Amino acid sequence: MNEPSNNILFELRNIKKSFGKLIVLDDLNMTIARGKTTVVIGPSGCGKTVLLKHLIVLMRPDRGQVFFDDVRIDNLNEDKLIPMRRRCGFLFQAGALFDSETVARNIGFPLLQHTKYPQKTIDRIVAEKLGLVGMSNLENRLPSQLSGGQQKRIALARAIALSPEVILYDEPTTGLDPIRAETINDLIIKLQQELKITSIVVTHDMNSAYKIADRIVMLNQGKIVADGTPDQIRNSDNKHVKNFIRGRTEEPGK
């Protein structure tokens, strides 16, 4: 295989990942374009979140290789992964905020961990990121004092605290009502357009997928079964895509 071109940020080569006898990723090959929003869809248990975690080596493949910006990373130790991970933000499905810490301390946590900035600089960055997600002046609130949608936005502000080149989103609209989900969709688009961030989004929310994606990839049984633009996916004749979009259950082996 040729080396990735300059517009390719991530590449997965022949990735296999199993848990016991369960094959989750099955000889999977995939590239992620720089500066674009790639959305990964598929039924529960098809390997979406496992794929996401392989991209930043929160999981390592049983076989295959992971490349980031032309550098193989799946074989690096944790210390050598730090520079790569600093270039990436991760929005976990549940937000994963620290319940006992204020909004400001939640957002400032990556800055305290990975920089030597003085507190004044950290405070300025926290205020700036809160402004980007439309949550200014909430620095002293606790997560318990925020709605689910507000907590998602705070978690997103933390994900961009280090001004990453990449954000990985794991089900960003799960548990939100349609209005708050639309707010998160708009923020994903805003960050991609204004900051030129590469976004990789795992979701089962097709309204979100159609709105935010430059490209949609569908996984099924550990393999890519569809790959195209939102319009191509929406109008696909692929049986897996049609069943997923229409909420139909596929029979085993079909």
Side-chain angles (χ1 to χ4, degrees):
M1 181 181 292
N2 294 329
E3 287 298 311
S5 61
N6 288 337
N7 68 322
I8 299 301
L9 189 57
F10 286 99
E11 183 177 5
L12 300 174
R13 298 184 187 176
N14 306 114
I15 297 297
K16 183 171 183 179
K17 184 65 177 181
S18 301
F19 298 101
K21 295 182 179 180
L22 177 64
I23 300 173
V24 180
L25 298 178
D26 189 5
D27 200 30
L28 187 140
N29 291 278
M30 182 179 179
T31 58
I32 302 291
R34 191 187 307 271
K36 301 293 185 180
T37 297
T38 300
V39 172
V40 182
I41 63 171
S44 297
C46 71
K48 301 186 300 294
T49 298
V50 172
L51 183 154
L52 207 63
K53 291 181 177 180
H54 274 73
L55 291 173
I56 53 174
V57 202
L58 292 177
M59 287 184 177
R60 297 176 189 263
D62 300 329
R63 188 179 70 225
Q65 301 172 331
V66 182
F67 290 82
F68 176 73
D69 214 4
D70 284 347
V71 176
R72 185 178 176 185
I73 58 173
D74 62 282
N75 58 349
L76 299 180
N77 64 35
E78 289 297 311
D79 286 341
K80 290 184 178 179
L81 285 168
I82 290 173
M84 180 277 293
R85 288 177 177 161
R86 284 191 59 181
R87 296 168 64 185
C88 303
F90 201 119
L91 182 65
F92 295 93
Q93 182 173 339
L97 297 175
F98 302 117
D99 294 335
S100 60
E101 299 287 358
T102 64
V103 163
R105 289 185 64 83
N106 266 283
I107 298 171
F109 181 76
L111 298 164
L112 287 170
Q113 290 288 103
H114 297 293
T115 75
K116 295 181 180 179
Y117 293 154
Q119 189 61 48
K120 185 175 181 179
T121 300
I122 291 175
D123 292 344
R124 176 183 58 76
I125 294 172
V126 166
E128 173 190 311
K129 303 308 180 186
L130 280 172
L132 274 173
V133 300
M135 297 288 285
S136 296
N137 303 317
L138 293 181
E139 286 90 342
N140 295 320
R141 296 277 187 93
L142 292 171
S144 61
Q145 297 172 308
L146 304 173
S147 69
Q150 288 174 322
Q151 289 183 27
K152 286 273 189 176
R153 284 192 273 172
I154 296 304
L156 183 51
R158 183 176 64 186
I160 62 174
L162 291 168
S163 298
E165 299 170 43
V166 185
I167 302 180
L168 299 92
Y169 301 84
D170 190 7
E171 300 283 6
T173 60
T174 292
L176 301 181
D177 63 54
I179 294 174
R180 289 175 174 80
E182 193 70 359
T183 299
I184 296 299
N185 291 333
D186 289 340
L187 281 171
I188 293 172
I189 294 169
K190 177 182 178 181
L191 293 173
Q192 191 266 336
Q193 291 178 342
E194 293 186 8
L195 304 181
K196 310 303 180 187
I197 283 174
T198 301
S199 300
I200 305 147
V201 185
V202 160
T203 187
H204 66 274
D205 180 346
M206 291 310 300
N207 289 329
S208 176
Y210 291 142
K211 178 168 184 175
I212 66 177
D214 294 302
R215 170 195 182 198
I216 299 176
V217 176
M218 181 171 181
L219 294 187
N220 192 63
Q221 297 183 349
K223 294 181 178 293
I224 294 174
V225 295
D227 186 347
T229 66
D231 281 344
Q232 288 171 334
I233 295 298
R234 185 186 283 112
N235 299 311
S236 175
D237 290 328
N238 182 295
K239 65 179 181 179
H240 300 295
V241 175
K242 290 168 70 174
N243 286 337
F244 181 76
I245 291 173
R246 297 172 185 176
R248 293 176 179 171
T249 302
E250 297 187 25
E251 296 179 26
K254 298 292 186 181

Tab-separated table of all heavy atoms in Angstrom, residues 21 76 93 104 110 137 145 156 192 216 244:
chain	number	residue	atom	x	y	z
A	21	LYS	N	-13.783	-15.086	21.803
A	21	LYS	CA	-14.138	-15.603	20.487
A	21	LYS	C	-14.878	-14.583	19.639
A	21	LYS	O	-15.156	-14.830	18.464
A	21	LYS	CB	-14.990	-16.864	20.632
A	21	LYS	CG	-14.247	-18.032	21.282
A	21	LYS	CD	-15.123	-19.266	21.359
A	21	LYS	CE	-14.380	-20.441	21.984
A	21	LYS	NZ	-15.246	-21.653	22.070
A	76	LEU	N	3.767	2.129	19.894
A	76	LEU	CA	4.473	3.058	20.780
A	76	LEU	C	4.075	2.823	22.232
A	76	LEU	O	2.932	2.443	22.529
A	76	LEU	CB	4.150	4.512	20.392
A	76	LEU	CG	4.545	4.963	18.988
A	76	LEU	CD1	4.155	6.424	18.786
A	76	LEU	CD2	6.035	4.765	18.751
A	93	GLN	N	-18.983	9.490	25.693
A	93	GLN	CA	-20.436	9.427	25.580
A	93	GLN	C	-21.138	10.029	26.788
A	93	GLN	O	-22.096	10.780	26.653
A	93	GLN	CB	-20.884	7.967	25.399
A	93	GLN	CG	-22.383	7.796	25.220
A	93	GLN	CD	-22.757	6.362	24.886
A	93	GLN	OE1	-21.950	5.580	24.413
A	93	GLN	NE2	-23.999	6.006	25.130
A	104	ALA	N	-14.730	25.354	35.611
A	104	ALA	CA	-13.402	25.875	35.288
A	104	ALA	C	-12.321	24.831	35.523
A	104	ALA	O	-11.404	24.661	34.704
A	104	ALA	CB	-13.110	27.125	36.104
A	110	PRO	N	-6.903	19.346	31.526
A	110	PRO	CA	-5.864	18.974	30.547
A	110	PRO	C	-4.711	19.967	30.502
A	110	PRO	O	-3.560	19.584	30.250
A	110	PRO	CB	-6.619	18.964	29.209
A	110	PRO	CG	-8.052	18.839	29.577
A	110	PRO	CD	-8.208	19.536	30.875
A	137	ASN	N	-19.261	32.467	31.425
A	137	ASN	CA	-19.605	32.895	32.791
A	137	ASN	C	-20.185	31.786	33.667
A	137	ASN	O	-20.865	32.073	34.658
A	137	ASN	CB	-20.573	34.088	32.762
A	137	ASN	CG	-20.009	35.269	31.988
A	137	ASN	OD1	-18.835	35.604	32.126
A	137	ASN	ND2	-20.833	35.879	31.148
A	145	GLN	N	-25.191	21.168	38.709
A	145	GLN	CA	-26.016	22.367	38.546
A	145	GLN	C	-26.320	22.667	37.075
A	145	GLN	O	-26.919	23.698	36.769
A	145	GLN	CB	-25.306	23.567	39.182
A	145	GLN	CG	-25.110	23.434	40.690
A	145	GLN	CD	-24.233	24.540	41.256
A	145	GLN	OE1	-23.131	24.786	40.774
A	145	GLN	NE2	-24.751	25.212	42.280
A	156	LEU	N	-17.234	19.198	25.919
A	156	LEU	CA	-16.655	19.574	24.632
A	156	LEU	C	-15.625	20.690	24.811
A	156	LEU	O	-14.560	20.666	24.180
A	156	LEU	CB	-17.756	20.011	23.668
A	156	LEU	CG	-17.350	20.374	22.237
A	156	LEU	CD1	-16.488	19.283	21.612
A	156	LEU	CD2	-18.589	20.626	21.388
A	192	GLN	N	-15.431	22.537	13.333
A	192	GLN	CA	-14.794	22.047	12.109
A	192	GLN	C	-14.541	23.189	11.125
A	192	GLN	O	-13.486	23.284	10.506
A	192	GLN	CB	-15.664	20.964	11.468
A	192	GLN	CG	-14.993	20.193	10.342
A	192	GLN	CD	-15.289	20.766	8.972
A	192	GLN	OE1	-16.297	21.440	8.775
A	192	GLN	NE2	-14.402	20.524	8.029
A	216	ILE	N	-19.779	9.383	5.537
A	216	ILE	CA	-20.373	8.440	6.486
A	216	ILE	C	-19.872	7.034	6.152
A	216	ILE	O	-19.922	6.606	4.999
A	216	ILE	CB	-21.915	8.474	6.450
A	216	ILE	CG1	-22.435	9.864	6.836
A	216	ILE	CG2	-22.495	7.406	7.385
A	216	ILE	CD1	-23.939	10.006	6.729
A	244	PHE	N	-30.607	-0.436	8.718
A	244	PHE	CA	-30.191	0.391	9.850
A	244	PHE	C	-30.980	1.700	9.880
A	244	PHE	O	-31.489	2.115	10.920
A	244	PHE	CB	-28.694	0.683	9.764
A	244	PHE	CG	-28.166	1.511	10.901
A	244	PHE	CD1	-27.956	0.942	12.151
A	244	PHE	CD2	-27.882	2.861	10.734
A	244	PHE	CE1	-27.475	1.700	13.213
A	244	PHE	CE2	-27.402	3.623	11.783
A	244	PHE	CZ	-27.201	3.041	13.022
